[in-house]
Amino acid sequence: MTDTIATPPAPPRYPTIRLHPGRQKRVQHGHPWVYSNEVQMDQPAKAVPAGSPVRLVDAGGTPLGVATFNPHTLIAARMLTPDPAAVIDSTFIATRIERALKLRDALFDRPFYRLIHAEADGLPALIVDRYGDVVTVQANSIFMEQRIGEVLAALDAVLNPTTVILRNDSTQRALEGLPEETRLAKGSLDGALRLEENGNAFFADPLGGQKTGWFYDQRDNRAFIASLAEGARVIDFFSYNGGFAVTCATRGARSVVAVDRSQPALDNAARAAEANGVAGIFETRRADAFNELERLAAAGEKFEVVIVDPPAFVKSKKDLAVGCRAYRKMTRLAARITAPGGYLLAASCSHNVDPPTFAEQVARGLVDAGRTGRILRSAGAGPDHPVHPHLPESAYLKAQVLQLD
Ligand code: SAH
């Protein structure tokens, strides 16, 4: 008898990576990372090409699931699924994107948000931001880099965006030895793209200029400070494309100044002010933020709302002390120009500064300025930047709003 019955294709046999005895516990409890010193890095493990999916097993051979693997990085394995038989293809990725999209549909009325926030959305090291029919994609691991074709196919299947921009310019990529590049992967983009947030229109230019998009993480913090801006003189340092400044302007501020050293960023802010009908009370000022803070403080100028949301001052752990001093100084100068009874929003997006450490710098800065006050809000990023329950440290954004006496 001949064998004519077609057998289903065998599931792919991913290389097996074995952990040291006892090192399976964190993964079993749901932690998504395995460090390189927890892996039995024998010759076969070292020979697994960086970026491969692997079958992770404990020291006794019991399967733990499928992970992405890179033998050369401190985080050697990132869990994809506890299912040891899972096939990692564009369908797998599309299922995760669908789940993330459903969540954003529940959270937001309009299609402008971070769609995929890496581990928390089940797609380690992948970031996708959505601007209506345009998406930007950042692949922060070799695994995601190598599977970018599957990622794009999955995005097409779930969302079918007209334009896809690969925005591969992060410091995480450098850690994985990946090059920086920003380019169009699909469609076209004519100048800046338009987005909506808190009912306002904004502009961002992920291809030209600074090649950065929009920081959706501050959405709720922008709405909060803007709710206190009625009738206020507002100044927004490190304004970028005007997220805080324009939101305050449309919520009834008397006057708003956006300060940044980047002219393209200020142009986007001015364009947003125009589009939202608040150009008459809106001023952009190209300056170094610290110089401008010093100048205004020396001149005795006061504002009822002061916002300082700078780039990360602590890019790596070795910069911690210097960066902390910069947050403290920033707070001291910002407090000096905050009117009595006014509000100060100080923020930090440094992964390496935890919330208590940031709060301490803000508190010290206030003392240095000779000011007292009270914290009204200590917040992080909005819910389109979910946090993996086992990676609380990935909640990188800290924003404090204080009222000063
Ligand atoms: N607050 C912004 C995000 C800040 S991004 C928002 O809500 O979207 C950091 C911004 O700081 C960039 O636009 C950059 O041009 C600006 N910047 C960095 N260093 C600066 C400095 N020393 N003085 C003024 N602007 C600076």
Side-chain angles (χ1 to χ4, degrees):
M1 200 171 89
T2 52
D3 183 7
T4 54
I5 300 165
T7 46
R13 310 201 81 206
Y14 298 130
T16 296
I17 291 294
R18 194 176 290 261
L19 302 190
H20 285 303
R23 294 313 186 102
Q24 75 286 356
K25 289 197 190 109
R26 274 209 340 278
V27 169
Q28 277 171 340
H29 291 147
H31 198 287
W33 293 347
V34 176
Y35 295 101
S36 57
N37 65 354
E38 298 176 313
V39 170
Q40 296 192 22
M41 278 292 184
D42 49 16
Q43 267 326 105
K46 281 189 194 140
V48 170
S52 302
V54 295
R55 228 168 55 87
L56 210 63
V57 301
D58 71 9
T62 305
L64 298 165
V66 178
T68 75
F69 187 66
N70 185 343
H72 311 302
T73 45
L74 182 63
I75 302 168
R78 297 169 188 260
M79 292 303 294
L80 288 167
T81 167
D83 174 7
V87 178
I88 311 304
D89 55 9
S90 74
T91 307
F92 176 91
I93 298 170
T95 306
R96 299 278 161 103
I97 297 176
E98 251 163 23
R99 182 178 70 185
L101 182 61
K102 209 168 156 206
L103 171 62
R104 274 60 175 186
D105 276 347
L107 290 167
F108 303 108
D109 292 333
R110 304 284 295 139
F112 304 95
Y113 41 67
R114 174 150 294 185
L115 172 60
I116 302 291
H117 193 49
E119 272 78 354
D121 283 307
L123 291 169
L126 183 69
I127 302 286
V128 179
D129 286 334
R130 181 175 187 197
Y131 306 89
D133 291 332
V134 180
V135 298
T136 62
V137 177
Q138 196 173 82
N140 284 327
S141 70
I142 292 187
F143 171 87
M144 284 299 172
E145 172 89 353
Q146 289 174 350
R147 268 155 205 79
I148 202 69
E150 278 107 312
V151 170
L152 298 182
L155 276 168
D156 273 347
V158 177
L159 207 62
N160 197 21
T162 56
T163 301
V164 179
I165 297 156
L166 298 183
R167 259 209 48 216
N168 287 327
D169 55 356
S170 68
T171 46
Q172 279 147 285
R173 276 179 65 90
L175 292 178
E176 296 257 330
L178 294 168
E180 287 192 12
E181 55 153 14
T182 297
R183 65 177 172 89
L184 264 176
K186 182 184 179 187
S188 62
L189 187 67
D190 195 13
L193 52 79
R194 183 185 172 282
L195 64 112
E196 294 169 33
E197 186 190 89
N198 291 316
N200 297 312
F202 291 98
F203 300 91
D205 193 0
L207 270 181
Q210 288 182 306
K211 293 197 176 141
T212 27
W214 181 254
F215 299 106
Y216 284 119
D217 54 359
Q218 294 279 25
R219 178 194 317 254
D220 293 350
N221 300 323
R222 292 181 183 125
F224 182 81
I225 192 73
S227 74
L228 298 168
E230 174 116 46
R233 289 166 296 178
V234 176
I235 190 158
D236 175 15
F237 294 90
F238 311 97
S239 69
Y240 188 50
N241 294 348
F244 281 103
V246 173
T247 310
C248 289
T250 63
R251 297 296 186 278
R254 175 151 37 120
S255 64
V256 177
V257 184
V259 181
D260 203 283
R261 69 177 178 199
S262 154
Q263 192 58 46
L266 291 173
D267 291 346
N268 282 330
R271 190 171 167 196
E274 185 77 48
N276 295 293
V278 290
I281 56 149
F282 197 85
E283 178 196 331
T284 59
R285 201 174 286 172
R286 187 174 185 190
D288 172 82
F290 281 95
N291 288 348
E292 184 63 5
L293 277 161
E294 300 262 16
R295 190 185 71 80
L296 292 168
E301 296 235 19
K302 296 277 187 265
F303 298 81
E304 285 77 31
V305 171
V306 178
I307 296 149
V308 275
D309 171 32
F313 288 153
V314 183
K315 294 224 167 63
S316 73
K317 283 213 169 78
K318 68 174 170 33
D319 303 333
L320 187 63
V322 173
C324 280
R325 279 198 292 280
Y327 287 123
R328 179 174 173 176
K329 179 179 177 185
M330 170 187 95
T331 307
R332 168 171 61 83
L333 293 170
R336 280 185 62 197
I337 64 164
T338 305
Y343 304 98
L344 167 62
L345 183 148
S348 160
C349 60
S350 299
H351 289 263
N352 295 300
V353 179
D354 60 19
T357 307
F358 180 63
E360 191 185 326
Q361 307 319 310
V362 173
R364 288 182 173 184
L366 281 193
V367 172
D368 295 344
R371 299 295 294 272
T372 56
R374 57 208 55 81
I375 299 168
L376 310 183
R377 177 181 169 95
S378 295
D384 51 344
H385 292 62
V387 178
H388 191 289
H390 289 277
L391 294 175
E393 70 274 21
S394 67
Y396 60 95
L397 188 71
K398 293 133 320 254
Q400 280 209 352
V401 181
L402 299 102
Q403 184 191 35
L404 303 192
D405 301 317

